[in-house]
Amino acid sequence: LAGCDPQRVAKLEEGVSTEVQVREQFGDPATVTIAPDGTRTLDYPRQPEGWTNYVIQIGPDGKMTSLRQLLNEDNFARVQPGMGQQQVRDILGRPAKTQRFDLKQEEVWDWRFKLQGNESKMFSVTFNAQGQVQRTGIGDDPRETMSGAK
């Protein structure tokens, strides 16, 4: 599914495409959030198998106002110490994996992404016991390292 996303994106145009057309291309979203003004936010996470998370906004007029791929270096840089888990999720979408470390009183969320289009990496966010960001980091995608693929 995720491998066809560039073709799906190319078929949609901001300010022109309708929610029906978005759903024809992307299917049913994982979640839909409706703002007080009627704007609908459709979430299309491609984690854990893919390397992207899409958020598509539909204005009150039923037209697509934005289509964003969340997993990029600009968004990673926005994640700062002290932020809460929901703030991070709003910036990056659903993580590929979450893991609790009870002895350390930490929780780590990982997102898979492609660095400069080819190299598979992981962006990790470590939260403290209060659910606030302690630190972030980028490392190798263990699935790619284990399989020997790059």
Side-chain angles (χ1 to χ4, degrees), residues 12-22 38-42 56-67:
L12 300 172
E13 186 177 346
E14 289 181 9
V16 176
S17 299
T18 65
E19 182 172 346
V20 169
Q21 291 169 316
V22 168
T39 299
R40 297 165 60 81
T41 302
L42 313 179
I56 300 174
Q57 288 195 325
I58 308 295
D61 64 354
K63 305 275 185 181
M64 182 179 80
T65 58
S66 72
L67 187 156

PDB file of all heavy atoms in Angstrom, residues 12-22 38-42 56-67:
ATOM      1  N   LEU A  12      -3.705  14.068  -6.499  1.00  0.00           N
ATOM      2  CA  LEU A  12      -4.479  14.985  -5.667  1.00  0.00           C
ATOM      3  C   LEU A  12      -3.905  16.397  -5.761  1.00  0.00           C
ATOM      4  O   LEU A  12      -2.695  16.572  -5.876  1.00  0.00           O
ATOM      5  CB  LEU A  12      -4.467  14.510  -4.212  1.00  0.00           C
ATOM      6  CG  LEU A  12      -5.063  13.127  -3.968  1.00  0.00           C
ATOM      7  CD1 LEU A  12      -4.823  12.678  -2.539  1.00  0.00           C
ATOM      8  CD2 LEU A  12      -6.550  13.116  -4.297  1.00  0.00           C
ATOM      9  N   GLU A  13      -4.797  17.388  -5.679  1.00  0.00           N
ATOM     10  CA  GLU A  13      -4.371  18.778  -5.772  1.00  0.00           C
ATOM     11  C   GLU A  13      -5.046  19.597  -4.673  1.00  0.00           C
ATOM     12  O   GLU A  13      -6.272  19.549  -4.517  1.00  0.00           O
ATOM     13  CB  GLU A  13      -4.750  19.346  -7.144  1.00  0.00           C
ATOM     14  CG  GLU A  13      -4.221  20.726  -7.382  1.00  0.00           C
ATOM     15  CD  GLU A  13      -4.534  21.242  -8.781  1.00  0.00           C
ATOM     16  OE1 GLU A  13      -4.919  20.449  -9.652  1.00  0.00           O
ATOM     17  OE2 GLU A  13      -4.395  22.458  -8.972  1.00  0.00           O
ATOM     18  N   GLU A  14      -4.217  20.343  -3.928  1.00  0.00           N
ATOM     19  CA  GLU A  14      -4.746  21.185  -2.862  1.00  0.00           C
ATOM     20  C   GLU A  14      -5.703  22.216  -3.436  1.00  0.00           C
ATOM     21  O   GLU A  14      -5.451  22.791  -4.489  1.00  0.00           O
ATOM     22  CB  GLU A  14      -3.608  21.868  -2.103  1.00  0.00           C
ATOM     23  CG  GLU A  14      -2.814  20.908  -1.252  1.00  0.00           C
ATOM     24  CD  GLU A  14      -1.692  21.563  -0.453  1.00  0.00           C
ATOM     25  OE1 GLU A  14      -1.620  22.806  -0.426  1.00  0.00           O
ATOM     26  OE2 GLU A  14      -0.900  20.813   0.133  1.00  0.00           O
ATOM     27  N   GLY A  15      -6.817  22.408  -2.738  1.00  0.00           N
ATOM     28  CA  GLY A  15      -7.811  23.383  -3.155  1.00  0.00           C
ATOM     29  C   GLY A  15      -8.750  22.891  -4.242  1.00  0.00           C
ATOM     30  O   GLY A  15      -9.710  23.567  -4.593  1.00  0.00           O
ATOM     31  N   VAL A  16      -8.474  21.697  -4.794  1.00  0.00           N
ATOM     32  CA  VAL A  16      -9.286  21.156  -5.890  1.00  0.00           C
ATOM     33  C   VAL A  16      -9.882  19.803  -5.517  1.00  0.00           C
ATOM     34  O   VAL A  16     -11.080  19.587  -5.640  1.00  0.00           O
ATOM     35  CB  VAL A  16      -8.452  21.026  -7.190  1.00  0.00           C
ATOM     36  CG1 VAL A  16      -9.265  20.375  -8.290  1.00  0.00           C
ATOM     37  CG2 VAL A  16      -7.928  22.390  -7.626  1.00  0.00           C
ATOM     38  N   SER A  17      -9.034  18.898  -5.045  1.00  0.00           N
ATOM     39  CA  SER A  17      -9.482  17.531  -4.735  1.00  0.00           C
ATOM     40  C   SER A  17     -10.452  17.530  -3.564  1.00  0.00           C
ATOM     41  O   SER A  17     -10.314  18.305  -2.614  1.00  0.00           O
ATOM     42  CB  SER A  17      -8.287  16.644  -4.416  1.00  0.00           C
ATOM     43  OG  SER A  17      -7.414  16.572  -5.519  1.00  0.00           O
ATOM     44  N   THR A  18     -11.422  16.630  -3.628  1.00  0.00           N
ATOM     45  CA  THR A  18     -12.430  16.504  -2.574  1.00  0.00           C
ATOM     46  C   THR A  18     -12.058  15.376  -1.618  1.00  0.00           C
ATOM     47  O   THR A  18     -11.189  14.553  -1.914  1.00  0.00           O
ATOM     48  CB  THR A  18     -13.810  16.196  -3.178  1.00  0.00           C
ATOM     49  OG1 THR A  18     -13.747  14.906  -3.795  1.00  0.00           O
ATOM     50  CG2 THR A  18     -14.229  17.257  -4.183  1.00  0.00           C
ATOM     51  N   GLU A  19     -12.764  15.300  -0.493  1.00  0.00           N
ATOM     52  CA  GLU A  19     -12.537  14.207   0.449  1.00  0.00           C
ATOM     53  C   GLU A  19     -12.826  12.868  -0.208  1.00  0.00           C
ATOM     54  O   GLU A  19     -12.125  11.879   0.030  1.00  0.00           O
ATOM     55  CB  GLU A  19     -13.382  14.375   1.711  1.00  0.00           C
ATOM     56  CG  GLU A  19     -13.123  13.283   2.728  1.00  0.00           C
ATOM     57  CD  GLU A  19     -13.796  13.499   4.064  1.00  0.00           C
ATOM     58  OE1 GLU A  19     -14.276  14.611   4.354  1.00  0.00           O
ATOM     59  OE2 GLU A  19     -13.826  12.525   4.849  1.00  0.00           O
ATOM     60  N   VAL A  20     -13.825  12.817  -1.052  1.00  0.00           N
ATOM     61  CA  VAL A  20     -14.146  11.574  -1.765  1.00  0.00           C
ATOM     62  C   VAL A  20     -12.951  11.135  -2.610  1.00  0.00           C
ATOM     63  O   VAL A  20     -12.572   9.963  -2.623  1.00  0.00           O
ATOM     64  CB  VAL A  20     -15.417  11.753  -2.633  1.00  0.00           C
ATOM     65  CG1 VAL A  20     -15.605  10.562  -3.566  1.00  0.00           C
ATOM     66  CG2 VAL A  20     -16.640  11.941  -1.751  1.00  0.00           C
ATOM     67  N   GLN A  21     -12.328  12.087  -3.311  1.00  0.00           N
ATOM     68  CA  GLN A  21     -11.161  11.754  -4.138  1.00  0.00           C
ATOM     69  C   GLN A  21      -9.975  11.318  -3.284  1.00  0.00           C
ATOM     70  O   GLN A  21      -9.242  10.402  -3.661  1.00  0.00           O
ATOM     71  CB  GLN A  21     -10.793  12.949  -5.018  1.00  0.00           C
ATOM     72  CG  GLN A  21     -11.827  13.224  -6.087  1.00  0.00           C
ATOM     73  CD  GLN A  21     -11.612  14.558  -6.778  1.00  0.00           C
ATOM     74  OE1 GLN A  21     -11.352  15.567  -6.138  1.00  0.00           O
ATOM     75  NE2 GLN A  21     -11.731  14.536  -8.106  1.00  0.00           N
ATOM     76  N   VAL A  22      -9.789  11.966  -2.130  1.00  0.00           N
ATOM     77  CA  VAL A  22      -8.717  11.569  -1.212  1.00  0.00           C
ATOM     78  C   VAL A  22      -8.928  10.129  -0.770  1.00  0.00           C
ATOM     79  O   VAL A  22      -8.014   9.302  -0.813  1.00  0.00           O
ATOM     80  CB  VAL A  22      -8.656  12.516   0.018  1.00  0.00           C
ATOM     81  CG1 VAL A  22      -7.761  11.934   1.108  1.00  0.00           C
ATOM     82  CG2 VAL A  22      -8.172  13.898  -0.399  1.00  0.00           C
ATOM     83  N   GLY A  38     -15.135  22.876  11.332  1.00  0.00           N
ATOM     84  CA  GLY A  38     -15.556  21.887  10.347  1.00  0.00           C
ATOM     85  C   GLY A  38     -14.420  21.275   9.552  1.00  0.00           C
ATOM     86  O   GLY A  38     -14.628  20.354   8.770  1.00  0.00           O
ATOM     87  N   THR A  39     -13.191  21.772   9.746  1.00  0.00           N
ATOM     88  CA  THR A  39     -12.036  21.183   9.079  1.00  0.00           C
ATOM     89  C   THR A  39     -11.858  19.754   9.577  1.00  0.00           C
ATOM     90  O   THR A  39     -11.932  19.494  10.769  1.00  0.00           O
ATOM     91  CB  THR A  39     -10.761  22.006   9.362  1.00  0.00           C
ATOM     92  OG1 THR A  39     -10.945  23.324   8.847  1.00  0.00           O
ATOM     93  CG2 THR A  39      -9.530  21.369   8.743  1.00  0.00           C
ATOM     94  N   ARG A  40     -11.632  18.842   8.634  1.00  0.00           N
ATOM     95  CA  ARG A  40     -11.439  17.428   8.963  1.00  0.00           C
ATOM     96  C   ARG A  40      -9.980  17.066   8.714  1.00  0.00           C
ATOM     97  O   ARG A  40      -9.443  17.365   7.652  1.00  0.00           O
ATOM     98  CB  ARG A  40     -12.364  16.571   8.116  1.00  0.00           C
ATOM     99  CG  ARG A  40     -13.840  16.853   8.377  1.00  0.00           C
ATOM    100  CD  ARG A  40     -14.770  16.285   7.319  1.00  0.00           C
ATOM    101  NE  ARG A  40     -14.694  14.845   7.173  1.00  0.00           N
ATOM    102  CZ  ARG A  40     -15.309  13.961   7.961  1.00  0.00           C
ATOM    103  NH1 ARG A  40     -16.056  14.376   8.961  1.00  0.00           N
ATOM    104  NH2 ARG A  40     -15.196  12.675   7.736  1.00  0.00           N
ATOM    105  N   THR A  41      -9.351  16.431   9.698  1.00  0.00           N
ATOM    106  CA  THR A  41      -7.973  15.971   9.563  1.00  0.00           C
ATOM    107  C   THR A  41      -7.996  14.458   9.466  1.00  0.00           C
ATOM    108  O   THR A  41      -8.470  13.776  10.371  1.00  0.00           O
ATOM    109  CB  THR A  41      -7.119  16.436  10.761  1.00  0.00           C
ATOM    110  OG1 THR A  41      -7.169  17.864  10.827  1.00  0.00           O
ATOM    111  CG2 THR A  41      -5.678  15.975  10.609  1.00  0.00           C
ATOM    112  N   LEU A  42      -7.488  13.948   8.342  1.00  0.00           N
ATOM    113  CA  LEU A  42      -7.466  12.505   8.074  1.00  0.00           C
ATOM    114  C   LEU A  42      -6.037  12.007   8.272  1.00  0.00           C
ATOM    115  O   LEU A  42      -5.105  12.527   7.667  1.00  0.00           O
ATOM    116  CB  LEU A  42      -7.916  12.224   6.640  1.00  0.00           C
ATOM    117  CG  LEU A  42      -9.181  12.932   6.147  1.00  0.00           C
ATOM    118  CD1 LEU A  42      -9.467  12.545   4.700  1.00  0.00           C
ATOM    119  CD2 LEU A  42     -10.365  12.609   7.027  1.00  0.00           C
ATOM    120  N   ILE A  56      -3.858  14.562   5.999  1.00  0.00           N
ATOM    121  CA  ILE A  56      -4.538  15.292   4.935  1.00  0.00           C
ATOM    122  C   ILE A  56      -5.673  16.080   5.568  1.00  0.00           C
ATOM    123  O   ILE A  56      -6.498  15.516   6.296  1.00  0.00           O
ATOM    124  CB  ILE A  56      -5.076  14.319   3.862  1.00  0.00           C
ATOM    125  CG1 ILE A  56      -3.909  13.524   3.264  1.00  0.00           C
ATOM    126  CG2 ILE A  56      -5.846  15.093   2.786  1.00  0.00           C
ATOM    127  CD1 ILE A  56      -4.323  12.430   2.299  1.00  0.00           C
ATOM    128  N   GLN A  57      -5.707  17.381   5.299  1.00  0.00           N
ATOM    129  CA  GLN A  57      -6.779  18.220   5.834  1.00  0.00           C
ATOM    130  C   GLN A  57      -7.794  18.531   4.752  1.00  0.00           C
ATOM    131  O   GLN A  57      -7.435  18.841   3.613  1.00  0.00           O
ATOM    132  CB  GLN A  57      -6.225  19.510   6.425  1.00  0.00           C
ATOM    133  CG  GLN A  57      -5.501  19.251   7.729  1.00  0.00           C
ATOM    134  CD  GLN A  57      -5.259  20.506   8.522  1.00  0.00           C
ATOM    135  OE1 GLN A  57      -5.019  21.561   7.970  1.00  0.00           O
ATOM    136  NE2 GLN A  57      -5.319  20.376   9.834  1.00  0.00           N
ATOM    137  N   ILE A  58      -9.053  18.447   5.160  1.00  0.00           N
ATOM    138  CA  ILE A  58     -10.184  18.763   4.294  1.00  0.00           C
ATOM    139  C   ILE A  58     -10.888  19.965   4.912  1.00  0.00           C
ATOM    140  O   ILE A  58     -11.300  19.915   6.080  1.00  0.00           O
ATOM    141  CB  ILE A  58     -11.171  17.577   4.196  1.00  0.00           C
ATOM    142  CG1 ILE A  58     -10.452  16.278   3.803  1.00  0.00           C
ATOM    143  CG2 ILE A  58     -12.327  17.911   3.254  1.00  0.00           C
ATOM    144  CD1 ILE A  58      -9.830  16.273   2.424  1.00  0.00           C
ATOM    145  N   GLY A  59     -10.998  21.048   4.151  1.00  0.00           N
ATOM    146  CA  GLY A  59     -11.635  22.261   4.653  1.00  0.00           C
ATOM    147  C   GLY A  59     -13.133  22.087   4.816  1.00  0.00           C
ATOM    148  O   GLY A  59     -13.724  21.103   4.347  1.00  0.00           O
ATOM    149  N   PRO A  60     -13.771  23.074   5.461  1.00  0.00           N
ATOM    150  CA  PRO A  60     -15.221  23.024   5.645  1.00  0.00           C
ATOM    151  C   PRO A  60     -15.985  22.924   4.318  1.00  0.00           C
ATOM    152  O   PRO A  60     -17.109  22.433   4.279  1.00  0.00           O
ATOM    153  CB  PRO A  60     -15.544  24.335   6.368  1.00  0.00           C
ATOM    154  CG  PRO A  60     -14.256  24.768   6.990  1.00  0.00           C
ATOM    155  CD  PRO A  60     -13.165  24.231   6.107  1.00  0.00           C
ATOM    156  N   ASP A  61     -15.356  23.358   3.224  1.00  0.00           N
ATOM    157  CA  ASP A  61     -15.986  23.291   1.899  1.00  0.00           C
ATOM    158  C   ASP A  61     -15.846  21.918   1.240  1.00  0.00           C
ATOM    159  O   ASP A  61     -16.313  21.704   0.129  1.00  0.00           O
ATOM    160  CB  ASP A  61     -15.404  24.359   0.972  1.00  0.00           C
ATOM    161  CG  ASP A  61     -13.916  24.165   0.686  1.00  0.00           C
ATOM    162  OD1 ASP A  61     -13.275  23.266   1.287  1.00  0.00           O
ATOM    163  OD2 ASP A  61     -13.381  24.928  -0.137  1.00  0.00           O
ATOM    164  N   GLY A  62     -15.180  20.957   1.944  1.00  0.00           N
ATOM    165  CA  GLY A  62     -15.025  19.606   1.410  1.00  0.00           C
ATOM    166  C   GLY A  62     -13.833  19.432   0.499  1.00  0.00           C
ATOM    167  O   GLY A  62     -13.607  18.346  -0.040  1.00  0.00           O
ATOM    168  N   LYS A  63     -13.007  20.472   0.321  1.00  0.00           N
ATOM    169  CA  LYS A  63     -11.819  20.391  -0.545  1.00  0.00           C
ATOM    170  C   LYS A  63     -10.557  20.182   0.304  1.00  0.00           C
ATOM    171  O   LYS A  63     -10.444  20.688   1.420  1.00  0.00           O
ATOM    172  CB  LYS A  63     -11.644  21.686  -1.348  1.00  0.00           C
ATOM    173  CG  LYS A  63     -12.837  22.087  -2.164  1.00  0.00           C
ATOM    174  CD  LYS A  63     -12.846  21.412  -3.478  1.00  0.00           C
ATOM    175  CE  LYS A  63     -14.029  21.995  -4.255  1.00  0.00           C
ATOM    176  NZ  LYS A  63     -14.247  21.486  -5.503  1.00  0.00           N
ATOM    177  N   MET A  64      -9.609  19.462  -0.277  1.00  0.00           N
ATOM    178  CA  MET A  64      -8.335  19.213   0.398  1.00  0.00           C
ATOM    179  C   MET A  64      -7.560  20.524   0.503  1.00  0.00           C
ATOM    180  O   MET A  64      -7.317  21.191  -0.493  1.00  0.00           O
ATOM    181  CB  MET A  64      -7.525  18.185  -0.384  1.00  0.00           C
ATOM    182  CG  MET A  64      -6.208  17.836   0.277  1.00  0.00           C
ATOM    183  SD  MET A  64      -5.272  16.590  -0.628  1.00  0.00           S
ATOM    184  CE  MET A  64      -4.535  17.591  -1.906  1.00  0.00           C
ATOM    185  N   THR A  65      -7.177  20.889   1.736  1.00  0.00           N
ATOM    186  CA  THR A  65      -6.405  22.116   1.941  1.00  0.00           C
ATOM    187  C   THR A  65      -4.918  21.844   2.136  1.00  0.00           C
ATOM    188  O   THR A  65      -4.096  22.724   1.902  1.00  0.00           O
ATOM    189  CB  THR A  65      -6.937  22.916   3.149  1.00  0.00           C
ATOM    190  OG1 THR A  65      -6.877  22.084   4.316  1.00  0.00           O
ATOM    191  CG2 THR A  65      -8.360  23.382   2.908  1.00  0.00           C
ATOM    192  N   SER A  66      -4.571  20.631   2.575  1.00  0.00           N
ATOM    193  CA  SER A  66      -3.153  20.290   2.708  1.00  0.00           C
ATOM    194  C   SER A  66      -2.967  18.781   2.760  1.00  0.00           C
ATOM    195  O   SER A  66      -3.847  18.051   3.210  1.00  0.00           O
ATOM    196  CB  SER A  66      -2.528  20.937   3.952  1.00  0.00           C
ATOM    197  OG  SER A  66      -2.974  20.310   5.130  1.00  0.00           O
ATOM    198  N   LEU A  67      -1.810  18.361   2.264  1.00  0.00           N
ATOM    199  CA  LEU A  67      -1.391  16.964   2.311  1.00  0.00           C
ATOM    200  C   LEU A  67       0.067  17.000   2.746  1.00  0.00           C
ATOM    201  O   LEU A  67       0.912  17.544   2.034  1.00  0.00           O
ATOM    202  CB  LEU A  67      -1.537  16.320   0.929  1.00  0.00           C
ATOM    203  CG  LEU A  67      -1.294  14.808   0.861  1.00  0.00           C
ATOM    204  CD1 LEU A  67      -2.014  14.226  -0.346  1.00  0.00           C
ATOM    205  CD2 LEU A  67       0.157  14.438   0.825  1.00  0.00           C
TER     206      LEU A  67
END
